[in-house]
Amino acid sequence: MAAGDLVLVTGSTGFIGFRTLRHALEEGYTVRAAVRSDAKADLLRRNPTLSSIQDLPSKLSFIIVPNILAQGAFDEAVKGVKYILHVASPLTTGITMDDDLEAKIIRPAVYGTLGLFGSAKKESSVKRIVVTSSMVTIPPIAVLTGQQPTEQVFKPEDRAHDVPGPYPAVIAAYVQSKIAALKEGEAWVVKHKPQFDVIHILPAFVGGRNDLAQNVEQLCTGTNFYFLAPVLGQEATEAAGPRVANYIDVDDVAKAHVKSLNEEVAGDQSFLLTNKGDDMKWNDAKEIAAKHFPDAVKSGLLPNDGDISPYMVIYSDISKTEETFGRIKSFEESVKAVVGQYLELKEKAK
């Protein structure tokens, strides 16, 4: 990294994106955040976790990209940029089976990525793009849904086949959005031979402290549900998605994105961010909560009687990930962080 290296970050108003933006700033990068509106930029500027970063106004700037699917949407955003952390991608929050899943989830994931690549190719300063993909792009959909249990050890180079519609659930469309975006992105690079290389980050269920959450409802939204449900006395439902016993801490995801900007890390490769698949169960969160927050469990503030079972195990080869980025956080560390924040927010709401 050279002083003044400019990094464009997309998706910085989301759970992973904000932590990644913050980590990039902490590591000394100058960051330009692409947001949909001035209001979104103000939300980030006011976040207290950024207040400790010295000379923040000179290190963090914003550019408005209201529609990532518009022709040339990122043309201005990429000017003068050396690196891009492309975290933005559609989530399933608020989407139902009554929606057009192709329009709401799949096309934005694919064409948002390809549009960014196209803009970056026109800007000679861009040397590397790191894309947030997902672990769901690796095993077949039948493995994710439990229809085809397997002891195969999956590698980051493995690729799942497309999931054709019509989709039986919103989560199936989400899986296809990730599969298609990864496949189309890799094919685009082969075809267009841009001046930049691409690294794909493939996280499992992401949990941990969410510094954008202002209340417990926001904290419990998304994949943190899996880390909190057993502790909060909730049960997983079919709508919550596959109960795969694979996790990663949000800090590790952010660290992997930013460390991927180091030119000592070879480009045009993928990294699986997950546990190996044999060292945790979601319901272990109850034992962890009782260990670290015994008073809250005893008082009933943490019911600690929820259940996420049965669950599937996906075995993963993460040797390359840990060699490159270091040891991943334990499930206990992730649960302790998110439950601790839950209790902070409960106290704040009194």
Side-chain angles (χ1 to χ4, degrees):
M1 180 184 74
D5 281 347
L6 180 59
V7 181
L8 175 68
V9 180
T10 73
S12 55
T13 57
F15 179 32
I16 296 173
F18 180 73
R19 188 66 189 91
T20 300
L21 173 142
R22 179 181 159 197
H23 191 64
L25 289 166
E26 290 169 341
E27 290 297 302
Y29 289 98
T30 299
V31 175
R32 177 186 295 158
V35 293
R36 291 183 181 269
S37 66
D38 285 323
K40 295 287 189 181
D42 288 339
L43 182 70
L44 299 185
R45 287 191 190 99
R46 295 195 306 267
N47 192 283
T49 63
L50 299 183
S51 61
S52 63
I53 296 172
Q54 193 172 8
D55 299 324
L56 182 65
S58 66
K59 292 182 177 178
L60 175 62
S61 61
F62 297 90
I63 187 165
I64 308 301
V65 182
N67 179 10
I68 66 172
L69 299 184
Q71 186 73 24
F74 290 102
D75 283 0
E76 287 297 316
V78 300
K79 287 186 175 178
V81 164
K82 185 173 183 179
Y83 305 118
I84 300 174
L85 299 173
H86 181 45
V87 187
S89 189
L91 300 175
T92 59
T93 305
I95 296 177
T96 71
M97 288 298 291
D98 294 329
D99 291 313
D100 182 338
L101 300 181
E102 285 279 347
K104 289 277 190 177
I105 301 178
I106 297 172
R107 286 201 294 272
V110 174
Y111 295 113
T113 298
L114 299 186
L116 176 64
F117 283 8
S119 292
K121 189 175 187 296
K122 293 183 281 187
E123 182 62 27
S124 61
S125 64
V126 179
K127 300 305 180 188
R128 173 164 293 175
I129 301 179
V130 181
V131 181
T132 312
S133 182
S134 172
M135 185 180 178
V136 302
T137 61
I138 300 297
I141 185 69
V143 173
L144 288 174
T145 58
Q147 296 172 307
Q148 182 185 313
T150 178
E151 293 188 1
Q152 177 182 345
V153 177
F154 290 95
K155 299 181 178 181
E157 296 76 25
D158 292 329
R159 294 292 180 266
H161 295 299
D162 284 330
V163 179
Y167 301 103
V170 172
I171 190 65
Y174 172 80
V175 170
Q176 173 57 17
S177 78
K178 290 298 188 181
I179 291 172
L182 177 59
K183 180 179 73 173
E184 295 293 334
E186 290 180 327
W188 187 98
V189 170
V190 171
K191 178 180 179 180
H192 294 278
K193 298 179 174 58
Q195 81 284 2
F196 56 82
D197 56 37
V198 179
I199 290 178
H200 293 275
I201 303 295
L202 315 174
F205 286 109
V206 182
R209 189 175 183 89
N210 181 356
D211 288 320
L212 290 175
Q214 299 297 306
N215 52 54
V216 295
E217 290 76 16
Q218 292 175 3
L219 182 65
C220 296
T221 299
T223 50
N224 260 335
F225 168 85
Y226 286 85
F227 296 76
L228 286 166
V231 179
L232 301 185
Q234 299 172 334
E235 294 185 2
T237 64
E238 183 178 351
R243 294 166 217 174
V244 173
N246 292 83
Y247 80 94
I248 191 72
D249 193 276
V250 68
D251 287 346
D252 288 325
V253 180
K255 180 174 68 175
H257 279 77
V258 176
K259 281 195 171 185
S260 291
L261 302 182
N262 188 328
E263 293 175 10
E264 293 181 1
V265 178
D268 297 321
Q269 63 173 325
S270 302
F271 291 97
L272 263 172
L273 268 75
T274 178
N275 59 315
K276 295 177 182 179
D278 58 356
D279 53 358
M280 60 81 73
K281 301 182 291 293
W282 291 113
N283 287 342
D284 290 345
K286 292 184 284 190
E287 181 180 342
I288 295 166
K291 173 183 175 182
H292 292 284
F293 308 101
D295 292 343
V297 172
K298 186 177 180 180
S299 70
L301 185 57
L302 299 176
N304 224 31
D305 58 358
D307 180 51
I308 296 186
S309 64
Y311 60 89
M312 288 73 70
V313 174
I314 295 180
Y315 299 99
S316 303
D317 180 354
I318 61 170
S319 55
K320 184 174 73 169
T321 296
E322 294 200 313
E323 287 166 7
T324 306
F325 306 127
R327 180 192 71 85
I328 68 168
K329 286 189 173 185
S330 67
F331 185 58
E332 180 171 354
E333 290 173 283
S334 298
V335 171
K336 181 182 177 183
V338 72
V339 174
Q341 186 180 9
Y342 174 86
L343 293 173
E344 289 173 19
L345 291 171
K346 289 290 283 186
E347 181 66 25
K348 180 181 175 182
K350 284 184 178 178

